[in-house]
């Protein structure tokens, strides 16, 4: 018997400290596929929707595609935009309601709209209201989801990424779809329990290949070997959101066993609480970091690969402005050579370069123009325009943003400046992440040949850059994606939370 499944993907990681709202135009710049355009563009890609399609093809499931929309992380989503994409999904559910056997929703879990601090919970509830209680709904989530009780109550199962960088997006789509098919066929009856250990995990410490998160994830995989346990999700959350739902969560899915779900969820949450101090760390500031990078570069040859640095504060992957200047200024002041910085969001500097033309010199001001949080603009930078492109390229690496995914960065410039014009700055008209190293090749600069590279990112860059790097340096910089939560003025998050507040050893769990 052929099953029919509705697919609706609508994802945004919302940083509530970013003042500019996110509109449909922001989604269209990154990814907006409607109806059958979803299958045409995402089949075979390393995305959650790509993974859903893989399993549907294997199992002979008919998919009803509604939308796949994703915008670069930023401020709250405008209600009009939120309703447009939500309505696409709900319209599909209404149109095919009598024929639907299941629903799979590849979401993010940290979306905030003008009306909803929990963007996903009301959407899943609305889908549930249309399809009824008997049609199973599986939701896939980003590892940085701020999971709400509404999501847990409305869905049959939540299935989250297991890796950071997120290299298992497609596999998560496959896991979710396989679980949905089992639920449709009556092999399992998913039930869930959610625990909230009161901690904030610094985002770089959520790196899953090593450190505390590796230990936590290993235990989660062990517990999934127990009879009746279908999925153990461990989500450190997204703390650049001042909302009641923000925080570390452990939603566990079992086969019709709520007591087991609570037991496993509580065990994982207690483990995270016991390890809470391991989820906090201090990182060097730009002057120290660049001095260290120069010393390391002097001891490495071209065959060793570049020193790769992450500039936390302006990370567009967390809602940052992607135009931070504190690290680039230090690179220029310290006279580094054979270095690069990407992607610098600066439409004005791009226009200056366009006016000069390829091969010509130009003096321009770079970065720091969107607000006063990411460093002062670097004025009177002399350099030459090496290349101008359309910013259209396809990811080729095993990267956080997904192999095979198309990028639309807009007019992009390779600008050479600094000592002997040996610092490459990739300027673009669109705020976008350089998670995939193909951006460098797109502008004619093989990244492997640079002595050092700086990416505005927290940890996601390691998926593609980690294997090529000789050393990795993480840098504490100011901005709307700053690593230290103490930099932010929270008013709506649950308190107390470690490390923002002093908490007794026995503050969690509360058995009353």
């Amino acid at each position: 018997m052929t099953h029919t499944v509705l697919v609706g993907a609508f994802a945004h990681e919302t940083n509530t400290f970013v003042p500019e709202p996110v509109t449909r135009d922001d989604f269209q710049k990154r990814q907006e596929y409607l109806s059958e355009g979803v299958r045409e563009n995402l089949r075979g890609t390393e995305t959650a929707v790509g993974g859903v399609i893989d399993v549907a093809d294997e199992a002979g499931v008919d998919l009803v595609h509604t939308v796949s929309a994703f915008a670069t992380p930023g401020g709250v989503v405008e209600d009009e935009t939120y309703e447009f994409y939500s309505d696409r999904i709900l319209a599909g559910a209404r149109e095919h309601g009598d024929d639907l056997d299941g629903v799979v929703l590849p979401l993010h879990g940290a979306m905030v709209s003008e009306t909803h601090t929990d963007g996903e919970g009301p959407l899943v509830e609305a889908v549930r209201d249309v399809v009824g209680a008997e049609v199973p709904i599986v939701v896939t989530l980003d590892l940085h989801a701020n999971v709400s009780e509404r999501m847990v109550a409305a869905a049959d199962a939540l299935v989250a990424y297991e890796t950071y960088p997120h290299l298992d997006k497609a596999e998560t789509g496959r896991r979710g779809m396989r679980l949905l098919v089992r639920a449709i066929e009556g092999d399992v009856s998913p039930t869930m329990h959610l625990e909230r250990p009161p901690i904030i995990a610094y985002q770089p410490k959520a790196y899953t290949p090593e450190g505390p998160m590796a230990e936590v994830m290993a235990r989660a995989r062990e517990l999934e070997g127990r009879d009746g346990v279908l999925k153990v999700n461990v989500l450190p959350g997204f703390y650049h959101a001042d909302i009641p739902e923000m925080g570390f969560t452990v939603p566990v899915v079992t086969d019709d066993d709520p007591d087991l779900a609570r037991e496993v969820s509580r065990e994982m949450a207690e483990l995270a609480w016991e390890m809470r101090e391991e989820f906090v760390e201090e990182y060097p500031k730009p002057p120290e970091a660049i001095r260290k990078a120069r010393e390391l570069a002097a001891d490495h040859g071209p065959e060793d690969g570049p020193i790769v640095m992450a500039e936390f504060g302006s990370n567009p992957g967390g809602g940052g402005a992607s135009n931070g200047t504190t690290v680039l200024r230090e690179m220029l002041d310290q006279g580094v050579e054979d270095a690069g910085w990407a992607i610098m969001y600066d439409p004005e500097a791009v226009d200056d370069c366009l006016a000069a033309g390829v091969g010509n010199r130009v003096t321009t001001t770079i970065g720091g123009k969107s607000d006063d949080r990411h460093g002062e603009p670097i004025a009177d930078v002399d350099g030459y325009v090496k290349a101008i492109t359309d910013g259209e390229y396809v990811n080729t690496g095993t990267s956080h943003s997904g192999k095979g995914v198309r990028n639309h960065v807009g007019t992009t410039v390779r600008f050479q400046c600094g000592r002997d014009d040996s610092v490459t700055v990739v300027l673009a008209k669109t705020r976008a992440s350089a998670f995939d190293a193909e951006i460098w090749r797109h502008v004619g600069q093989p990244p492997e040949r640079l002595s050092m590279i700086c990416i505005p990112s927290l940890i996601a860059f390691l998926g593609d850059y980690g294997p090529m790097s000789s050393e990795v340096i993480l840098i504490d910089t100011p901005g709307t994606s700053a690593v230290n939560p103490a930099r932010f003025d929270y008013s709506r998050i649950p308190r107390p939370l470690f490390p923002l507040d002093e908490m007794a050893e026995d503050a969690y769990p509360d058995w009353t």
Side-chain angles (χ1 to χ4, degrees):
M1 177 180 176
T2 301
H3 303 305
T4 300
V5 170
L6 182 86
V7 188
F10 176 26
H12 186 254
E13 186 175 75
T14 302
N15 185 323
T16 63
F17 299 101
V18 175
E20 298 82 13
V22 170
T23 67
R24 185 181 173 192
D25 181 62
D26 294 300
F27 282 88
Q28 290 174 320
K29 287 177 180 176
R30 185 68 181 271
Q31 181 184 114
E32 182 194 83
Y33 301 128
L34 306 177
S35 303
E36 282 308 304
V38 177
R39 180 188 295 272
E40 293 168 6
N41 287 280
L42 295 181
R43 171 179 256 160
T45 61
E46 287 297 308
T47 61
V49 174
V52 167
I53 295 171
D54 289 345
V55 173
D57 289 343
E58 294 168 3
V61 173
D62 289 336
L63 296 180
V64 177
H65 291 287
T66 56
V67 63
S68 182
F70 176 65
T72 296
V76 298
V77 179
E78 281 190 341
D79 279 345
E80 182 179 355
T81 300
Y82 178 84
E83 291 164 4
F84 174 81
Y85 294 119
S86 297
D87 287 348
R88 294 282 309 188
I89 297 170
L90 294 172
R94 294 188 189 98
E95 180 181 353
H96 300 276
D98 292 340
D99 299 322
L100 292 180
D101 300 297
V103 177
V104 60
L105 301 174
L107 308 178
H108 184 285
M111 178 162 53
V112 179
S113 72
E114 290 177 312
T115 296
H116 304 293
T117 58
D118 167 21
E120 287 80 2
L123 172 58
V124 182
E125 286 177 346
V127 173
R128 173 63 72 199
D129 288 343
V130 173
V131 302
E134 301 304 314
V135 175
I137 299 174
V138 171
V139 177
T140 69
L141 295 172
D142 190 285
L143 191 75
H144 297 106
N146 290 322
V147 180
S148 70
E149 283 74 9
R150 295 177 73 176
M151 294 184 214
V152 172
D156 289 86
L158 304 179
V159 179
Y161 302 159
E162 297 175 1
T163 66
Y164 182 44
H166 305 325
L167 306 183
D168 65 334
K169 291 180 178 179
E171 185 55 34
T172 299
R174 296 182 195 109
R175 292 187 195 108
M177 189 62 180
R178 291 186 186 114
L179 180 53
L180 179 63
V181 171
R182 292 181 67 191
I184 291 171
E185 295 180 348
D187 294 337
V188 294
S189 179
T191 188
M192 286 190 284
H193 180 81
L194 176 69
E195 282 289 326
R196 293 181 177 276
I199 62 176
I200 293 177
Y202 278 30
Q203 201 161 328
K205 304 303 289 184
Y207 182 57
T208 53
E210 61 186 38
M213 203 64 181
E215 182 176 339
V216 169
M217 285 301 194
R219 181 56 181 155
R221 303 291 80 77
E222 290 175 2
L223 289 170
E224 286 175 346
R226 291 182 59 175
D227 288 344
V229 177
L230 300 177
K231 186 72 183 74
V232 179
N233 299 293
V234 183
L235 301 104
F238 184 64
Y239 56 88
H240 297 97
D242 184 20
I243 57 173
E245 297 82 6
M246 188 278 280
F248 200 118
T249 56
V250 186
V252 170
V253 188
T254 61
D255 183 9
D256 197 25
D257 194 336
D259 291 337
L260 178 61
R262 184 183 187 280
E263 176 189 338
V264 173
S265 181
R266 178 57 65 95
E267 177 180 334
M268 289 302 307
E270 287 187 47
L271 176 60
W273 171 251
E274 291 167 4
M275 299 175 66
R276 62 193 179 279
E277 292 186 0
E278 297 181 45
F279 284 104
V280 177
E281 186 170 336
E282 291 188 5
Y283 301 92
K285 301 298 192 294
E288 176 189 351
I290 298 304
R291 283 194 296 270
K292 180 179 179 181
R294 290 177 63 203
E295 292 170 1
L296 291 170
D299 293 334
H300 289 77
E303 69 281 358
D304 296 317
I307 288 83
V308 179
M309 301 175 289
E311 192 264 286
F312 291 154
S314 70
N315 162 39
S322 195
N323 63 9
T325 57
T326 55
V327 175
L328 178 59
R329 184 187 299 279
E330 201 64 39
M331 292 168 72
L332 296 175
D333 287 349
Q334 294 195 30
V336 301
E337 296 179 314
D338 299 320
W341 205 104
I343 300 171
M344 176 68 74
Y345 169 58
D346 195 328
E348 294 177 12
V350 169
D351 285 341
D352 287 343
C353 292
L354 290 175
V358 173
N360 294 311
R361 303 199 69 81
V362 64
T363 298
T364 187
T365 297
I366 294 179
K369 297 169 186 171
S370 58
D371 55 45
D372 59 359
R373 295 186 177 191
H374 299 84
E376 293 293 322
I378 306 175
D380 300 326
V381 182
D382 174 68
Y384 82 94
V385 183
K386 180 69 173 179
I388 299 173
T389 78
D390 60 4
E392 301 281 332
Y393 65 97
V394 177
N395 290 346
T396 58
T398 304
S399 69
H400 179 93
S401 50
K403 188 174 184 179
V405 171
R406 297 179 179 276
N407 296 276
H408 315 281
V409 182
T411 305
T412 302
V413 173
R414 176 181 168 187
F415 180 67
Q416 301 295 143
C417 60
R419 179 178 292 178
D420 298 325
D421 294 332
S422 65
V423 176
T424 299
V425 180
V426 179
L427 303 167
K429 283 206 167 187
T430 300
R431 191 174 60 88
S433 297
F435 294 150
D436 195 290
E438 188 62 21
I439 182 59
W440 298 96
R441 303 180 190 100
H442 175 70
V443 298
Q445 171 62 68
E448 301 87 351
R449 296 182 186 176
L450 294 170
S451 66
M452 65 181 75
I453 292 172
C454 184
I455 307 294
S457 179
L458 275 159
I459 212 72
F461 71 99
L462 285 174
D464 204 19
Y465 292 87
M468 77 170 68
S469 66
S470 57
E471 303 279 352
V472 172
I473 301 175
L474 308 180
I475 311 175
D476 183 4
T477 59
T480 48
S481 183
V483 68
N484 188 344
R487 288 182 183 262
F488 301 97
D489 184 16
Y490 295 103
S491 63
R492 296 190 291 178
I493 64 173
R495 303 293 285 264
L497 277 179
F498 178 86
L500 292 178
D501 305 299
E502 291 187 12
M503 299 182 67
E505 183 73 27
D506 61 354
Y508 181 86
D510 179 2
W511 293 100
T512 59

